Amino acid sequence: MAAAAAGLASIWRLSHRLRPLQVISFPVLQLHMSRIAMGGSQKDFEMAVNQVKRLKNEPGNEVKLKLYALYKQATEGPCNMPKPGMFDFINKAKWDSWNALGNLSKETARQNYVELVSNLSASEPSSPGKPGAGRKQAGYDTLVVTSEDGITKIMFNRPTKKNALNHQMYQELMAALEAAGKDDSAITVITGNGDYYSSGNDLNNFTDSLQDDIEKSAQNAAILLRNFVGCFIDFPKPLIAMVNGPAVGIPVTLLGLFDIIYASDRATFHTPFSHLGQSPEGCSSYMFPKIMGSAKAAEMLIFGKKITAKEACAQGLVTEVFPDSTFQKEVWTRLKVYAKLPPNAMRISKQLIRNMEKEKLHAINSEECRVLQSRWQSEECANAVMNFLSRKAKL
Ligand SMILES: CCCCCC/C=C/C(=O)SCCNC(=O)CCNC(=O)[C@H](O)C(C)(C)COP(=O)(O)OP(=O)(O)OC[C@H]1O[C@@H](n2cnc3c(N)ncnc32)[C@H](O)[C@@H]1OP(=O)(O)O
């Protein structure tokens, strides 16, 4: 594994030092050698391919593999290479990554590639004119946090895990929100890197709970969850979600605590708690019926109905839906204008709206965590998690 990591790092370094034709293994450079079928977003794709060469931040092996896989899928279609031997670490990692894309269409792969590069560029140091860009703040592994133009952007950054929230990400999100609440930006935006907004709680978080001291683990998780959701209840500034793709579980339920939710038309909203032997959190047991009416909320929270961005908008959960191809551009343009409004006035208005219900929301949060603490110790929950982890079930 260490050898693979070192190998990939060196490919990345080389691809930045050498002239394109000298490097044959990295996908961006293969553009010079192959002419690919033209499609709707081909131009964006070619621009993204060029943009990758200019990235200054080292994106990490996970992201590089994702870029590689999306490039290959976009230009050649499903993986068509023989599987490399188990000791051929680098090629095996690349093959795995490409092969994992299955039958994803070339067009979707192209779009995902463009989106991934756009997110990577947004977190580059000082990219003039790039909305939501700015210097990347240090101290986060699972997030990319940037501040510019009066906007602090917090981006989930585990794209190869569909931005699932592991324990570290919960902790880092709390720290990022704490800092964003106090910094000099006017608004805060949360979004996801890659094709997902977030696939929710990382189900590996449960492996601890399924070991010896289940009761203690469930208690600790409930405390973590209560504090985490508490940060959203108490967040003092306008909080905006840019839902760039599908969202599952807690990133969906938390939306009830945001002030504005903009969604790509690729986004879906899914809260499969019963399927997972669990129950709603993020104050959704109160906010969802309030936002969309009890019948629609029950369909989502009890029966796990997945809804589209358009449906979520019709039900009042989402503020506005944008075509995926223009999502980033349109939303950032709008947010940059909002961020120029007097920050104190915005803050005070937000607090007026929120303070009416703050106490109630904290009480609901505590109750949801109490119920979940017991759910996490149930057989229904253990079976659902084990099924996912042993790859027997996906949503
Ligand atoms: C402190 C505790 C607080 C708890 C709070 C309570 C929160 C509750 C919830 O959030 S409930 C929702 C939990 N989420 C899920 O059940 C989603 C599970 N994931 C899936 O069903 C699928 O992965 C998918 C539908 C999201 C995407 O499917 P697909 O497009 O086919 O991709 P892959 O499944 O191949 O995923 C790629 C890669 O990511 C890993 N992964 C995705 N989601 C999760 C996840 N939630 N937990 C852990 N890992 C996840 C997946 O395993 C793959 O990894 P691999 O490449 O195999 O290493």
Side-chain angles (χ1 to χ4, degrees):
M1 205 55 205
L8 286 162
S10 68
I11 287 181
W12 180 251
R13 279 197 300 276
L14 277 173
S15 71
H16 281 76
R17 250 188 278 129
L18 301 180
R19 297 193 64 75
L21 286 171
Q22 289 175 271
V23 179
I24 48 166
S25 56
F26 200 67
V28 298
L29 307 168
Q30 293 174 342
L31 182 72
H32 299 279
M33 293 171 244
S34 64
R35 292 319 310 159
I36 42 191
M38 293 287 158
S41 57
Q42 180 63 28
K43 198 152 178 243
D44 288 346
F45 178 65
E46 288 184 14
M47 277 163 62
V49 166
N50 282 319
Q51 218 168 332
V52 167
K53 288 185 254 176
R54 295 194 294 272
L55 290 177
K56 294 186 186 76
N57 288 338
E58 152 71 43
N61 287 339
E62 268 192 354
V63 175
K64 280 182 252 169
L65 284 170
K66 187 81 187 174
L67 281 169
Y68 167 81
L70 286 171
Y71 180 89
K72 296 291 275 183
Q73 191 86 7
T75 54
E76 295 179 32
C79 183
N80 53 14
M81 283 177 1
K83 188 172 182 173
M86 62 188 292
F87 295 111
D88 187 359
F89 297 116
I90 297 170
N91 286 321
K92 169 88 170 26
K94 289 162 80 179
W95 187 91
D96 283 344
S97 187
W98 183 10
N99 192 48
L101 295 179
N103 286 323
L104 190 76
S105 72
K106 282 186 172 181
E107 196 189 4
T108 308
R110 242 187 349 241
Q111 281 168 2
N112 293 353
Y113 183 95
V114 170
E115 193 176 315
L116 179 52
V117 174
S118 139
N119 284 327
L120 290 170
S121 309
S123 62
E124 287 281 286
S126 64
S127 343
K130 265 260 156 6
R135 188 159 292 284
K136 185 177 166 187
Q137 293 176 19
Y140 301 102
D141 286 336
T142 64
L143 305 174
V144 175
V145 182
T146 50
S147 273
E148 196 173 84
D149 298 325
I151 305 173
T152 291
K153 178 173 105 169
I154 300 172
M155 183 164 71
F156 306 130
N157 193 32
R158 296 182 75 213
T160 57
K161 299 289 175 191
K162 310 290 182 195
N163 294 324
L165 282 86
N166 60 10
H167 280 132
Q168 186 180 2
M169 204 195 281
Y170 284 108
Q171 298 291 355
E172 291 188 0
L173 271 166
M174 288 194 282
L177 284 172
E178 171 83 22
K182 292 184 186 144
D183 71 15
D184 58 5
S185 63
I187 62 177
T188 301
V189 177
I190 297 190
T191 191
N193 187 8
D195 60 343
Y196 259 64
Y197 177 65
S198 166
S199 64
N201 188 41
D202 188 317
L203 295 174
N204 294 296
N205 289 337
F206 284 110
T207 46
D208 289 347
S209 325
L210 296 172
Q211 285 157 13
D212 289 346
D213 197 349
I214 299 178
E215 216 175 310
K216 186 79 195 144
S217 302
Q219 194 184 6
N220 289 340
I223 293 169
L224 173 62
L225 181 60
R226 198 179 61 227
N227 292 338
F228 177 71
V229 174
C231 293
F232 287 82
I233 299 173
D234 291 332
F235 193 71
K237 297 176 180 177
L239 184 61
I240 292 114
M242 268 182 79
V243 187
N244 54 298
V248 186
I250 189 163
V252 179
T253 56
L254 282 172
L255 293 175
L257 298 173
F258 281 67
D259 301 296
I260 289 183
I261 296 122
Y262 293 135
S264 147
D265 60 6
R266 254 189 350 97
T268 51
F269 300 82
H270 193 189
T271 49
F273 299 123
S274 299
H275 299 68
L276 294 165
Q278 296 180 45
S279 51
E281 78 290 283
C283 294
S284 59
S285 59
Y286 173 69
M287 291 304 291
F288 275 30
K290 191 175 148 177
I291 291 168
M292 59 181 83
S294 53
K296 292 288 183 192
E299 234 185 346
M300 281 190 80
L301 297 177
I302 303 178
F303 299 114
K305 184 183 179 199
K306 190 202 283 190
I307 60 172
T308 62
K310 208 168 144 201
E311 288 165 334
C313 192
Q315 289 168 21
L317 181 63
V318 161
T319 313
E320 194 170 331
V321 182
F322 297 81
D324 194 54
S325 53
T326 55
F327 178 61
Q328 298 287 338
K329 198 167 165 213
E330 286 196 61
V331 172
W332 285 115
T333 304
R334 190 178 300 188
L335 290 177
K336 277 180 153 191
V337 176
Y338 288 165
K340 289 199 169 69
L341 291 168
N344 290 333
M346 288 199 285
R347 203 180 166 104
I348 286 165
S349 298
K350 157 144 193 177
Q351 288 178 13
L352 264 178
I353 299 169
R354 175 53 51 86
N355 287 350
M356 295 288 181
E357 295 213 292
K358 224 180 207 180
E359 228 172 281
K360 190 170 187 171
L361 289 171
H362 279 299
I364 290 158
N365 180 25
S366 296
E367 178 59 7
E368 288 178 344
C369 293
R370 188 190 66 76
V371 173
L372 263 175
Q373 184 176 332
S374 126
R375 285 278 82 214
W376 288 329
Q377 297 173 68
S378 71
E379 207 180 315
E380 286 180 347
C381 177
N383 287 340
V385 172
M386 288 317 292
N387 278 339
F388 175 77
L389 295 179
S390 59
R391 295 299 182 267
K392 281 194 207 135
K394 266 188 197 173
L395 295 170

